[in-house]
mmCIF file of all heavy atoms in Angstrom:
data_model
loop_
_atom_site.group_PDB
_atom_site.id
_atom_site.type_symbol
_atom_site.label_atom_id
_atom_site.label_comp_id
_atom_site.label_asym_id
_atom_site.label_seq_id
_atom_site.Cartn_x
_atom_site.Cartn_y
_atom_site.Cartn_z
ATOM 1 N N VAL A 43 15.222 5.948 -8.574
ATOM 2 C CA VAL A 43 14.519 4.682 -8.353
ATOM 3 C C VAL A 43 13.471 4.807 -7.244
ATOM 4 O O VAL A 43 13.720 5.429 -6.208
ATOM 5 C CB VAL A 43 15.513 3.555 -7.980
ATOM 6 C CG1 VAL A 43 14.799 2.211 -7.913
ATOM 7 C CG2 VAL A 43 16.661 3.497 -8.984
ATOM 8 N N MET A 44 12.294 4.179 -7.480
ATOM 9 C CA MET A 44 11.228 4.150 -6.477
ATOM 10 C C MET A 44 10.624 2.755 -6.391
ATOM 11 O O MET A 44 10.987 1.852 -7.157
ATOM 12 C CB MET A 44 10.146 5.179 -6.822
ATOM 13 C CG MET A 44 10.588 6.630 -6.705
ATOM 14 S SD MET A 44 9.272 7.824 -7.092
ATOM 15 C CE MET A 44 8.113 7.497 -5.748
ATOM 16 N N LEU A 45 9.690 2.572 -5.457
ATOM 17 C CA LEU A 45 9.013 1.290 -5.231
ATOM 18 C C LEU A 45 7.499 1.510 -5.247
ATOM 19 O O LEU A 45 7.019 2.588 -4.898
ATOM 20 C CB LEU A 45 9.433 0.686 -3.893
ATOM 21 C CG LEU A 45 10.940 0.569 -3.627
ATOM 22 C CD1 LEU A 45 11.196 0.081 -2.209
ATOM 23 C CD2 LEU A 45 11.605 -0.357 -4.637
ATOM 24 N N LEU A 46 6.758 0.463 -5.621
ATOM 25 C CA LEU A 46 5.297 0.555 -5.684
ATOM 26 C C LEU A 46 4.683 -0.796 -5.340
ATOM 27 O O LEU A 46 4.889 -1.774 -6.061
ATOM 28 C CB LEU A 46 4.860 0.988 -7.079
ATOM 29 C CG LEU A 46 3.369 1.088 -7.360
ATOM 30 C CD1 LEU A 46 2.707 2.122 -6.439
ATOM 31 C CD2 LEU A 46 3.107 1.444 -8.825
ATOM 32 N N SER A 47 3.936 -0.848 -4.227
ATOM 33 C CA SER A 47 3.286 -2.089 -3.799
ATOM 34 C C SER A 47 1.773 -1.907 -3.834
ATOM 35 O O SER A 47 1.232 -0.982 -3.225
ATOM 36 C CB SER A 47 3.729 -2.469 -2.382
ATOM 37 O OG SER A 47 5.101 -2.806 -2.356
ATOM 38 N N HIS A 48 1.085 -2.820 -4.545
ATOM 39 C CA HIS A 48 -0.361 -2.748 -4.710
ATOM 40 C C HIS A 48 -1.044 -3.746 -3.772
ATOM 41 O O HIS A 48 -0.699 -4.935 -3.787
ATOM 42 C CB HIS A 48 -0.765 -3.118 -6.130
ATOM 43 C CG HIS A 48 -0.033 -2.387 -7.213
ATOM 44 N ND1 HIS A 48 1.287 -2.651 -7.537
ATOM 45 C CD2 HIS A 48 -0.454 -1.410 -8.059
ATOM 46 C CE1 HIS A 48 1.641 -1.862 -8.549
ATOM 47 N NE2 HIS A 48 0.615 -1.108 -8.872
ATOM 48 N N SER A 49 -2.023 -3.301 -3.023
ATOM 49 C CA SER A 49 -2.787 -4.225 -2.185
ATOM 50 C C SER A 49 -3.769 -5.007 -3.046
ATOM 51 O O SER A 49 -4.495 -4.427 -3.863
ATOM 52 C CB SER A 49 -3.565 -3.470 -1.106
ATOM 53 O OG SER A 49 -4.472 -4.361 -0.465
ATOM 54 N N VAL A 50 -3.817 -6.332 -2.843
ATOM 55 C CA VAL A 50 -4.772 -7.160 -3.574
ATOM 56 C C VAL A 50 -6.046 -7.400 -2.754
ATOM 57 O O VAL A 50 -6.970 -8.073 -3.204
ATOM 58 C CB VAL A 50 -4.149 -8.511 -3.999
ATOM 59 C CG1 VAL A 50 -2.969 -8.263 -4.932
ATOM 60 C CG2 VAL A 50 -3.732 -9.353 -2.799
ATOM 61 N N THR A 51 -6.077 -6.843 -1.540
ATOM 62 C CA THR A 51 -7.300 -6.850 -0.734
ATOM 63 C C THR A 51 -7.633 -5.409 -0.352
ATOM 64 O O THR A 51 -7.594 -5.035 0.823
ATOM 65 C CB THR A 51 -7.141 -7.721 0.532
ATOM 66 O OG1 THR A 51 -6.033 -7.215 1.313
ATOM 67 C CG2 THR A 51 -6.899 -9.177 0.190
ATOM 68 N N PRO A 52 -7.959 -4.579 -1.343
ATOM 69 C CA PRO A 52 -8.158 -3.153 -1.065
ATOM 70 C C PRO A 52 -9.322 -2.866 -0.122
ATOM 71 O O PRO A 52 -9.319 -1.831 0.554
ATOM 72 C CB PRO A 52 -8.406 -2.555 -2.459
ATOM 73 C CG PRO A 52 -8.839 -3.705 -3.314
ATOM 74 C CD PRO A 52 -8.124 -4.898 -2.776
ATOM 75 N N ASP A 53 -10.304 -3.778 -0.052
ATOM 76 C CA ASP A 53 -11.414 -3.572 0.882
ATOM 77 C C ASP A 53 -10.938 -3.651 2.333
ATOM 78 O O ASP A 53 -11.467 -2.967 3.214
ATOM 79 C CB ASP A 53 -12.520 -4.612 0.648
ATOM 80 C CG ASP A 53 -13.213 -4.417 -0.691
ATOM 81 O OD1 ASP A 53 -13.118 -3.303 -1.247
ATOM 82 O OD2 ASP A 53 -13.844 -5.372 -1.184
ATOM 83 N N ILE A 54 -9.927 -4.485 2.575
ATOM 84 C CA ILE A 54 -9.362 -4.622 3.922
ATOM 85 C C ILE A 54 -8.274 -3.582 4.148
ATOM 86 O O ILE A 54 -8.189 -2.972 5.219
ATOM 87 C CB ILE A 54 -8.782 -6.044 4.109
ATOM 88 C CG1 ILE A 54 -9.895 -7.086 4.031
ATOM 89 C CG2 ILE A 54 -8.029 -6.152 5.435
ATOM 90 C CD1 ILE A 54 -9.400 -8.516 4.012
ATOM 91 N N ASP A 55 -7.456 -3.377 3.134
ATOM 92 C CA ASP A 55 -6.314 -2.478 3.274
ATOM 93 C C ASP A 55 -6.726 -1.027 3.011
ATOM 94 O O ASP A 55 -6.433 -0.440 1.963
ATOM 95 C CB ASP A 55 -5.183 -2.917 2.342
ATOM 96 C CG ASP A 55 -4.520 -4.188 2.822
ATOM 97 O OD1 ASP A 55 -4.542 -4.439 4.044
ATOM 98 O OD2 ASP A 55 -3.967 -4.935 1.983
ATOM 99 N N SER A 56 -7.378 -0.465 3.995
ATOM 100 C CA SER A 56 -7.758 0.946 3.956
ATOM 101 C C SER A 56 -6.512 1.809 4.124
ATOM 102 O O SER A 56 -5.423 1.304 4.432
ATOM 103 C CB SER A 56 -8.745 1.246 5.082
ATOM 104 O OG SER A 56 -8.115 0.987 6.339
ATOM 105 N N VAL A 57 -6.673 3.106 3.965
ATOM 106 C CA VAL A 57 -5.536 4.009 4.155
ATOM 107 C C VAL A 57 -4.953 3.880 5.566
ATOM 108 O O VAL A 57 -3.734 3.748 5.716
ATOM 109 C CB VAL A 57 -5.935 5.468 3.834
ATOM 110 C CG1 VAL A 57 -4.839 6.438 4.277
ATOM 111 C CG2 VAL A 57 -6.202 5.624 2.339
ATOM 112 N N PRO A 58 -5.780 3.895 6.638
ATOM 113 C CA PRO A 58 -5.206 3.732 7.984
ATOM 114 C C PRO A 58 -4.462 2.408 8.156
ATOM 115 O O PRO A 58 -3.428 2.356 8.824
ATOM 116 C CB PRO A 58 -6.428 3.816 8.907
ATOM 117 C CG PRO A 58 -7.425 4.616 8.142
ATOM 118 C CD PRO A 58 -7.222 4.217 6.710
ATOM 119 N N GLN A 59 -5.014 1.341 7.556
ATOM 120 C CA GLN A 59 -4.361 0.033 7.651
ATOM 121 C C GLN A 59 -3.008 0.052 6.936
ATOM 122 O O GLN A 59 -2.004 -0.466 7.450
ATOM 123 C CB GLN A 59 -5.264 -1.049 7.046
ATOM 124 C CG GLN A 59 -4.662 -2.447 6.992
ATOM 125 C CD GLN A 59 -4.552 -3.128 8.340
ATOM 126 O OE1 GLN A 59 -4.967 -2.579 9.363
ATOM 127 N NE2 GLN A 59 -3.983 -4.323 8.350
ATOM 128 N N LEU A 60 -2.963 0.672 5.750
ATOM 129 C CA LEU A 60 -1.699 0.772 5.014
ATOM 130 C C LEU A 60 -0.698 1.641 5.770
ATOM 131 O O LEU A 60 0.500 1.340 5.791
ATOM 132 C CB LEU A 60 -1.932 1.352 3.620
ATOM 133 C CG LEU A 60 -2.579 0.443 2.574
ATOM 134 C CD1 LEU A 60 -2.687 1.189 1.248
ATOM 135 C CD2 LEU A 60 -1.812 -0.856 2.386
ATOM 136 N N LYS A 61 -1.191 2.707 6.395
ATOM 137 C CA LYS A 61 -0.301 3.595 7.143
ATOM 138 C C LYS A 61 0.320 2.870 8.321
ATOM 139 O O LYS A 61 1.532 2.987 8.571
ATOM 140 C CB LYS A 61 -1.082 4.822 7.638
ATOM 141 C CG LYS A 61 -0.201 5.870 8.313
ATOM 142 C CD LYS A 61 0.825 6.455 7.345
ATOM 143 C CE LYS A 61 1.645 7.562 7.997
ATOM 144 N NZ LYS A 61 2.673 8.097 7.083
ATOM 145 N N LYS A 62 -0.480 2.104 9.026
ATOM 146 C CA LYS A 62 0.021 1.318 10.169
ATOM 147 C C LYS A 62 1.084 0.328 9.685
ATOM 148 O O LYS A 62 2.149 0.191 10.299
ATOM 149 C CB LYS A 62 -1.147 0.585 10.831
ATOM 150 C CG LYS A 62 -0.762 -0.306 12.011
ATOM 151 C CD LYS A 62 -2.032 -0.882 12.648
ATOM 152 C CE LYS A 62 -1.709 -1.802 13.822
ATOM 153 N NZ LYS A 62 -1.084 -3.065 13.400
ATOM 154 N N TYR A 63 0.781 -0.364 8.604
ATOM 155 C CA TYR A 63 1.707 -1.350 8.043
ATOM 156 C C TYR A 63 3.000 -0.668 7.583
ATOM 157 O O TYR A 63 4.106 -1.170 7.822
ATOM 158 C CB TYR A 63 1.029 -2.052 6.873
ATOM 159 C CG TYR A 63 1.774 -3.248 6.324
ATOM 160 C CD1 TYR A 63 1.716 -4.483 6.960
ATOM 161 C CD2 TYR A 63 2.505 -3.156 5.137
ATOM 162 C CE1 TYR A 63 2.378 -5.595 6.436
ATOM 163 C CE2 TYR A 63 3.166 -4.253 4.613
ATOM 164 C CZ TYR A 63 3.100 -5.471 5.272
ATOM 165 O OH TYR A 63 3.757 -6.560 4.749
ATOM 166 N N ALA A 64 2.851 0.493 6.927
ATOM 167 C CA ALA A 64 4.019 1.225 6.438
ATOM 168 C C ALA A 64 4.941 1.627 7.582
ATOM 169 O O ALA A 64 6.166 1.515 7.484
ATOM 170 C CB ALA A 64 3.570 2.464 5.660
ATOM 171 N N GLU A 65 4.362 2.081 8.666
ATOM 172 C CA GLU A 65 5.165 2.490 9.828
ATOM 173 C C GLU A 65 5.869 1.284 10.447
ATOM 174 O O GLU A 65 7.031 1.372 10.867
ATOM 175 C CB GLU A 65 4.273 3.187 10.854
ATOM 176 C CG GLU A 65 3.801 4.568 10.389
ATOM 177 C CD GLU A 65 2.809 5.202 11.339
ATOM 178 O OE1 GLU A 65 2.293 4.484 12.233
ATOM 179 O OE2 GLU A 65 2.538 6.412 11.192
ATOM 180 N N GLU A 66 5.172 0.150 10.500
ATOM 181 C CA GLU A 66 5.767 -1.066 11.062
ATOM 182 C C GLU A 66 6.935 -1.575 10.211
ATOM 183 O O GLU A 66 7.899 -2.137 10.738
ATOM 184 C CB GLU A 66 4.710 -2.166 11.163
ATOM 185 C CG GLU A 66 3.641 -1.897 12.214
ATOM 186 C CD GLU A 66 2.483 -2.889 12.133
ATOM 187 O OE1 GLU A 66 2.407 -3.656 11.141
ATOM 188 O OE2 GLU A 66 1.639 -2.882 13.052
ATOM 189 N N GLN A 67 6.836 -1.355 8.901
ATOM 190 C CA GLN A 67 7.853 -1.888 7.980
ATOM 191 C C GLN A 67 8.942 -0.880 7.634
ATOM 192 O O GLN A 67 9.843 -1.179 6.853
ATOM 193 C CB GLN A 67 7.172 -2.371 6.681
ATOM 194 C CG GLN A 67 6.076 -3.403 6.893
ATOM 195 C CD GLN A 67 6.565 -4.663 7.579
ATOM 196 O OE1 GLN A 67 7.706 -5.103 7.360
ATOM 197 N NE2 GLN A 67 5.717 -5.270 8.398
ATOM 198 N N GLY A 68 8.866 0.310 8.195
ATOM 199 C CA GLY A 68 9.894 1.312 7.931
ATOM 200 C C GLY A 68 9.833 1.905 6.540
ATOM 201 O O GLY A 68 10.863 2.283 5.963
ATOM 202 N N VAL A 69 8.626 2.005 5.989
ATOM 203 C CA VAL A 69 8.465 2.552 4.648
ATOM 204 C C VAL A 69 8.805 4.048 4.630
ATOM 205 O O VAL A 69 8.331 4.810 5.479
ATOM 206 C CB VAL A 69 7.013 2.343 4.148
ATOM 207 C CG1 VAL A 69 6.754 3.111 2.861
ATOM 208 C CG2 VAL A 69 6.740 0.851 3.948
ATOM 209 N N LEU A 70 9.612 4.451 3.658
ATOM 210 C CA LEU A 70 9.919 5.864 3.445
ATOM 211 C C LEU A 70 8.943 6.398 2.404
ATOM 212 O O LEU A 70 8.926 5.941 1.256
ATOM 213 C CB LEU A 70 11.358 6.034 2.940
ATOM 214 C CG LEU A 70 12.464 5.492 3.863
ATOM 215 C CD1 LEU A 70 13.828 5.627 3.177
ATOM 216 C CD2 LEU A 70 12.468 6.224 5.197
ATOM 217 N N ASP A 71 8.131 7.367 2.822
ATOM 218 C CA ASP A 71 7.031 7.826 1.970
ATOM 219 C C ASP A 71 7.496 8.333 0.605
ATOM 220 O O ASP A 71 6.789 8.168 -0.397
ATOM 221 C CB ASP A 71 6.242 8.934 2.675
ATOM 222 C CG ASP A 71 5.464 8.411 3.882
ATOM 223 O OD1 ASP A 71 5.204 7.194 3.935
ATOM 224 O OD2 ASP A 71 5.127 9.217 4.766
ATOM 225 N N HIS A 72 8.685 8.948 0.550
ATOM 226 C CA HIS A 72 9.139 9.521 -0.715
ATOM 227 C C HIS A 72 9.726 8.469 -1.659
ATOM 228 O O HIS A 72 9.984 8.761 -2.835
ATOM 229 C CB HIS A 72 10.171 10.629 -0.474
ATOM 230 C CG HIS A 72 11.482 10.138 0.049
ATOM 231 N ND1 HIS A 72 11.647 9.659 1.341
ATOM 232 C CD2 HIS A 72 12.707 10.031 -0.548
ATOM 233 C CE1 HIS A 72 12.908 9.299 1.509
ATOM 234 N NE2 HIS A 72 13.562 9.510 0.385
ATOM 235 N N LYS A 73 9.937 7.240 -1.137
ATOM 236 C CA LYS A 73 10.526 6.179 -1.959
ATOM 237 C C LYS A 73 9.545 5.068 -2.311
ATOM 238 O O LYS A 73 9.691 4.421 -3.351
ATOM 239 C CB LYS A 73 11.707 5.531 -1.219
ATOM 240 C CG LYS A 73 12.872 6.445 -0.937
ATOM 241 C CD LYS A 73 13.464 7.058 -2.192
ATOM 242 C CE LYS A 73 14.108 6.047 -3.089
ATOM 243 N NZ LYS A 73 14.723 6.700 -4.295
ATOM 244 N N TRP A 74 8.559 4.849 -1.439
ATOM 245 C CA TRP A 74 7.769 3.621 -1.542
ATOM 246 C C TRP A 74 6.303 3.918 -1.267
ATOM 247 O O TRP A 74 5.933 4.321 -0.173
ATOM 248 C CB TRP A 74 8.326 2.625 -0.541
ATOM 249 C CG TRP A 74 7.769 1.240 -0.551
ATOM 250 C CD1 TRP A 74 6.809 0.727 -1.374
ATOM 251 C CD2 TRP A 74 8.163 0.169 0.318
ATOM 252 N NE1 TRP A 74 6.572 -0.589 -1.072
ATOM 253 C CE2 TRP A 74 7.395 -0.953 -0.042
ATOM 254 C CE3 TRP A 74 9.076 0.061 1.366
ATOM 255 C CZ2 TRP A 74 7.522 -2.172 0.623
ATOM 256 C CZ3 TRP A 74 9.210 -1.144 2.015
ATOM 257 C CH2 TRP A 74 8.445 -2.253 1.657
ATOM 258 N N ASN A 75 5.473 3.735 -2.284
ATOM 259 C CA ASN A 75 4.023 3.885 -2.138
ATOM 260 C C ASN A 75 3.365 2.521 -1.974
ATOM 261 O O ASN A 75 3.574 1.618 -2.789
ATOM 262 C CB ASN A 75 3.429 4.577 -3.366
ATOM 263 C CG ASN A 75 3.746 6.053 -3.411
ATOM 264 O OD1 ASN A 75 3.364 6.804 -2.513
ATOM 265 N ND2 ASN A 75 4.451 6.486 -4.451
ATOM 266 N N LEU A 76 2.584 2.374 -0.907
ATOM 267 C CA LEU A 76 1.696 1.228 -0.738
ATOM 268 C C LEU A 76 0.319 1.725 -1.155
ATOM 269 O O LEU A 76 -0.200 2.665 -0.560
ATOM 270 C CB LEU A 76 1.660 0.756 0.715
ATOM 271 C CG LEU A 76 2.993 0.569 1.447
ATOM 272 C CD1 LEU A 76 2.743 0.062 2.870
ATOM 273 C CD2 LEU A 76 3.899 -0.390 0.701
ATOM 274 N N VAL A 77 -0.276 1.118 -2.168
ATOM 275 C CA VAL A 77 -1.502 1.694 -2.716
ATOM 276 C C VAL A 77 -2.703 0.757 -2.619
ATOM 277 O O VAL A 77 -2.590 -0.465 -2.705
ATOM 278 C CB VAL A 77 -1.307 2.130 -4.187
ATOM 279 C CG1 VAL A 77 -0.352 3.319 -4.256
ATOM 280 C CG2 VAL A 77 -0.810 0.997 -5.064
ATOM 281 N N THR A 78 -3.848 1.375 -2.423
ATOM 282 C CA THR A 78 -5.145 0.704 -2.399
ATOM 283 C C THR A 78 -6.057 1.448 -3.356
ATOM 284 O O THR A 78 -5.679 2.469 -3.922
ATOM 285 C CB THR A 78 -5.717 0.683 -0.968
ATOM 286 O OG1 THR A 78 -6.897 -0.127 -0.939
ATOM 287 C CG2 THR A 78 -6.038 2.080 -0.462
ATOM 288 N N GLY A 79 -7.253 0.915 -3.555
ATOM 289 C CA GLY A 79 -8.173 1.582 -4.473
ATOM 290 C C GLY A 79 -9.160 0.600 -5.071
ATOM 291 O O GLY A 79 -9.526 -0.402 -4.446
ATOM 292 N N ASP A 80 -9.574 0.863 -6.286
ATOM 293 C CA ASP A 80 -10.550 0.013 -6.974
ATOM 294 C C ASP A 80 -9.950 -1.358 -7.279
ATOM 295 O O ASP A 80 -8.920 -1.457 -7.952
ATOM 296 C CB ASP A 80 -10.986 0.701 -8.267
ATOM 297 C CG ASP A 80 -11.975 -0.138 -9.044
ATOM 298 O OD1 ASP A 80 -13.111 -0.316 -8.574
ATOM 299 O OD2 ASP A 80 -11.589 -0.647 -10.124
ATOM 300 N N LYS A 81 -10.601 -2.397 -6.794
ATOM 301 C CA LYS A 81 -10.072 -3.756 -6.945
ATOM 302 C C LYS A 81 -9.937 -4.157 -8.415
ATOM 303 O O LYS A 81 -8.923 -4.746 -8.814
ATOM 304 C CB LYS A 81 -10.955 -4.755 -6.202
ATOM 305 C CG LYS A 81 -10.431 -6.184 -6.239
ATOM 306 C CD LYS A 81 -11.318 -7.126 -5.429
ATOM 307 C CE LYS A 81 -10.791 -8.559 -5.497
ATOM 308 N NZ LYS A 81 -11.646 -9.500 -4.719
ATOM 309 N N LYS A 82 -10.943 -3.843 -9.210
ATOM 310 C CA LYS A 82 -10.891 -4.218 -10.623
ATOM 311 C C LYS A 82 -9.689 -3.571 -11.314
ATOM 312 O O LYS A 82 -9.022 -4.193 -12.146
ATOM 313 C CB LYS A 82 -12.189 -3.816 -11.330
ATOM 314 C CG LYS A 82 -13.370 -4.730 -11.021
ATOM 315 C CD LYS A 82 -14.585 -4.329 -11.830
ATOM 316 C CE LYS A 82 -15.752 -5.265 -11.542
ATOM 317 N NZ LYS A 82 -15.515 -6.634 -12.065
ATOM 318 N N GLN A 83 -9.414 -2.308 -10.968
ATOM 319 C CA GLN A 83 -8.269 -1.618 -11.567
ATOM 320 C C GLN A 83 -6.957 -2.288 -11.171
ATOM 321 O O GLN A 83 -6.089 -2.525 -12.021
ATOM 322 C CB GLN A 83 -8.246 -0.141 -11.140
ATOM 323 C CG GLN A 83 -7.083 0.625 -11.749
ATOM 324 C CD GLN A 83 -6.949 2.055 -11.231
ATOM 325 O OE1 GLN A 83 -6.023 2.761 -11.605
ATOM 326 N NE2 GLN A 83 -7.848 2.484 -10.363
ATOM 327 N N ILE A 84 -6.815 -2.609 -9.886
ATOM 328 C CA ILE A 84 -5.584 -3.239 -9.403
ATOM 329 C C ILE A 84 -5.374 -4.609 -10.043
ATOM 330 O O ILE A 84 -4.267 -4.946 -10.486
ATOM 331 C CB ILE A 84 -5.601 -3.355 -7.866
ATOM 332 C CG1 ILE A 84 -5.530 -1.951 -7.236
ATOM 333 C CG2 ILE A 84 -4.444 -4.218 -7.369
ATOM 334 C CD1 ILE A 84 -5.775 -1.928 -5.743
ATOM 335 N N TYR A 85 -6.442 -5.380 -10.136
ATOM 336 C CA TYR A 85 -6.327 -6.720 -10.694
ATOM 337 C C TYR A 85 -6.056 -6.684 -12.194
ATOM 338 O O TYR A 85 -5.339 -7.534 -12.736
ATOM 339 C CB TYR A 85 -7.579 -7.530 -10.380
ATOM 340 C CG TYR A 85 -7.561 -8.136 -8.991
ATOM 341 C CD1 TYR A 85 -7.180 -7.379 -7.881
ATOM 342 C CD2 TYR A 85 -7.916 -9.454 -8.773
ATOM 343 C CE1 TYR A 85 -7.145 -7.912 -6.606
ATOM 344 C CE2 TYR A 85 -7.888 -10.010 -7.493
ATOM 345 C CZ TYR A 85 -7.502 -9.236 -6.419
ATOM 346 O OH TYR A 85 -7.474 -9.781 -5.154
#
């Protein structure tokens, strides 16, 4: 089992921003991906 969270504000949620958030929330990299990217694709 794994987890996948998509940012709906990818312009704001850059990789550094996601990394900071992941560390604050105790995200385990091998279990839970917080992802950003092309807004149209995510939506």
Side-chain angles (χ1 to χ4, degrees):
V43 187
M44 292 181 65
L45 309 174
L46 178 61
S47 293
H48 309 73
S49 170
V50 298
T51 58
D53 292 340
I54 296 172
D55 288 333
S56 62
V57 169
Q59 176 72 2
L60 286 182
K61 186 63 176 178
K62 178 175 179 290
Y63 189 79
E65 289 174 347
E66 291 171 349
Q67 304 301 325
V69 170
L70 301 175
D71 291 339
H72 69 289
K73 297 302 294 182
W74 186 1
N75 287 299
L76 312 181
V77 292
T78 187
D80 179 68
K81 183 177 179 180
K82 284 184 179 291
Q83 181 186 177
I84 293 170
Y85 278 46

